[in-house]
Amino acid sequence: MLIKLEDIHKDYMLGKVKIQALRGVSLQINTGEMLCFMGSSGCGKSTLLNIIGGIDGATSGKVWYKDQELNRLNDKRLSRWRNQHLGFIFQNFNLVPVLSAYENVEQPLLLGKFSRNERKERVLAMLELVGMSEHIQHRPDQLSGGQRQRVAIARALVTQPEMVLADEPTASLDSTTGQQVLELMQKINETLSTTFVFSTHDYQVTEYAKRIVRLSDGLIEGVA
Ligand SMILES: Nc1ncnc2c1ncn2[C@@H]1O[C@H](COP(=O)(O)OP(=O)(O)OP(=O)(O)O)[C@@H](O)[C@H]1O
Ligand SMILES: [Mg+2]
């Protein structure tokens, strides 16, 4: 077991109105899974991914990462845990516009204890894995959407995380490019046993998941 969610509730206050984004979600995620959260807009996909990744805290319920209860970590230890164990891929890539592809991928390594040579080796290997070796000096605005997303995948993987969280990684891509990105994630899942948890509202990309968790209105509606 890699992740265990126990009766997760998340409320947001919108003025005086309480919005129940998650209403009691329990789930276990195993090492090496390729799991997809599926559901319509507003059902709680991003909220759930943010709670799994320790970006946001639950209103009630517990999140376990192996033997560690995340709720018990303070902010500093939580961000160190994130940097050591997780990679994130966002819908709109979140690359730093003034940095090259190489520099964007190198960023998470600057927070760790890697020598300059070790960083270079890892960054170049990752950019090769995602098929971007010929674009290492290009800035995001000089790349296509699919190429940017591949740089974002390389950045998420460069620390060799155990788990990658991807919130609608294909939403800004055309369907062919989206499928290529998912194929790449699938290849990495199979070769490196990296656990992938991603969200989508596009039925086409669910075929790349080994397990599909359907969310509806803050609850798990079904698992397939
Ligand atoms: N910061 C916030 N403040 C108030 N309400 C929020 C906040 N973030 C999310 N919500 C509400 O929580 C619910 C779940 O939102 P969430 O972003 O998790 O949905 P989603 O499934 O990711 O949707 P989408 O497919 O549109 O990205 C929605 O009703 C949303 O309006
Ligand atoms: Mg969302």
Side-chain angles (χ1 to χ4, degrees):
M1 194 234 2
L2 188 64
I3 291 280
K4 186 176 173 189
L5 303 172
E6 232 175 66
D7 199 22
I8 299 294
H9 288 253
K10 178 68 181 181
D11 300 334
Y12 289 110
M13 291 308 293
L14 210 59
K16 283 183 181 163
V17 182
K18 186 166 89 175
I19 295 177
Q20 296 182 295
L22 297 174
R23 300 187 295 139
V25 171
S26 298
L27 181 71
Q28 287 197 22
I29 302 173
N30 294 315
T31 304
E33 277 210 68
M34 180 104 182
L35 183 141
C36 166
F37 292 129
M38 169 84 195
S40 53
S41 181
C43 70
K45 303 181 295 293
S46 298
T47 304
L48 192 53
L49 282 170
N50 288 343
I51 287 173
I52 293 173
I55 290 177
D56 207 352
T59 307
S60 68
K62 288 178 181 171
V63 183
W64 298 83
Y65 181 84
K66 296 180 181 169
D67 295 335
Q68 176 70 57
E69 195 185 330
L70 292 190
N71 320 45
R72 292 183 178 274
L73 297 177
N74 61 29
D75 283 355
K76 195 175 156 196
R77 291 183 61 200
L78 194 60
S79 56
R80 194 167 57 196
W81 167 78
R82 260 198 308 267
N83 186 249
Q84 284 172 347
H85 300 278
L86 301 192
F88 289 92
I89 301 169
F90 300 94
Q91 175 174 343
N92 46 10
F93 323 128
N94 276 16
L95 296 174
V96 182
V98 295
L99 299 183
S100 67
Y102 181 97
E103 291 164 332
N104 266 288
V105 176
E106 187 185 28
Q107 282 237 305
L109 296 176
L110 297 173
L111 300 167
K113 297 189 195 81
F114 300 97
S115 72
R116 198 189 172 81
N117 274 335
E118 209 174 346
R119 290 204 304 268
K120 187 172 173 186
E121 239 171 68
R122 282 193 184 216
V123 172
L124 294 179
M126 270 308 144
L127 284 168
E128 191 181 340
L129 182 72
V130 300
M132 289 294 290
S133 296
E134 280 163 23
H135 303 276
I136 58 175
Q137 295 308 334
H138 292 179
R139 287 192 318 268
D141 65 350
Q142 299 166 322
L143 299 170
S144 71
Q147 289 171 334
R148 280 181 224 176
Q149 195 58 307
R150 283 190 271 157
V151 174
I153 292 173
R155 181 182 58 181
L157 287 167
V158 75
T159 56
Q160 295 176 2
E162 287 164 299
M163 179 167 73
V164 172
L165 302 176
D167 195 4
E168 306 214 29
T170 61
S172 328
L173 306 174
D174 64 75
S175 66
T176 311
T177 315
Q179 289 185 6
Q180 284 167 356
V181 163
L182 262 300
E183 271 163 30
L184 176 62
M185 283 166 47
Q186 202 173 41
K187 179 176 126 193
I188 293 159
N189 170 257
E190 279 161 13
T191 53
L192 303 177
S193 296
T194 308
T195 306
F196 277 86
V197 182
F198 66 98
S199 70
T200 186
H201 52 245
D202 177 0
Y203 272 108
Q204 269 204 334
V205 304
T206 60
E207 70 183 80
Y208 293 94
K210 289 179 189 156
R211 190 152 68 113
I212 300 166
V213 174
R214 272 185 300 115
L215 292 174
S216 172
D217 201 13
L219 286 171
I220 293 181
E221 195 185 44
V223 180

